[in-house]
């Protein structure tokens, strides 16, 4: 059975791509599946970062800031990363 919220995932990813935003999510169950489908179909996917719900928030913030400070536009294009690594 597909969760009602999962039906919104393609719409969220469409917005992310249109706006050129990086997806930051705890949803490893459904949205990731749609993100990888977009990548396989060569559709725009600016990138995604999945955060484990059990992760220590301070570490996640530090890792995210490191990505932002050291990265360049397009570094995450077509990729999904997991924090903490």
């Amino acid at each position: 059975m597909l969760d009602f919220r999962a039906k919104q995932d393609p719409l969220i990813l469409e917005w992310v791509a249109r706006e050129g935003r990086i997806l930051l999510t705890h949803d490893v169950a459904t949205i990731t599946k749609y993100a990888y489908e977009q990548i396989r179909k060569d559709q725009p996917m600016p990138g995604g970062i999945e955060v484990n719900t059990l992760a220590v928030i301070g570490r996640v913030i530090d890792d995210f800031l490191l990505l932002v400070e050291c990265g360049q536009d397009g570094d995450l294009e077509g990729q999904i990363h997991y924090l903490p690594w």
Side-chain angles (χ1 to χ4, degrees):
M1 182 174 178
L2 186 63
D3 185 312
F4 171 75
R5 290 169 293 180
K7 292 180 182 178
Q8 301 299 313
D9 290 349
L11 297 175
I12 293 168
L13 291 170
E14 192 177 294
W15 180 86
V16 165
R18 185 175 58 248
E19 297 295 319
R21 306 292 179 125
I22 303 296
L23 174 69
L24 181 64
T25 184
H26 285 295
D27 180 4
V28 298
T30 60
I31 202 160
T32 305
K33 178 186 108 176
Y34 292 108
Y36 282 122
E37 283 179 12
Q38 266 187 238
I39 293 167
R40 275 193 301 277
K41 293 178 182 177
D42 285 329
Q43 295 176 338
M45 177 55 189
I49 299 173
E50 291 187 349
V51 178
N52 185 313
T53 57
L54 302 176
V56 176
I57 190 67
R59 168 111 190 256
V60 170
I61 292 169
D62 287 344
D63 288 349
F64 185 73
L65 288 174
L66 182 65
L67 280 171
V68 170
E69 291 172 4
C70 297
Q72 297 179 6
D73 287 349
D75 278 353
L76 298 177
E77 181 74 34
Q79 302 174 47
I80 307 293
H81 291 273
Y82 301 87
L83 291 181
W85 357 57

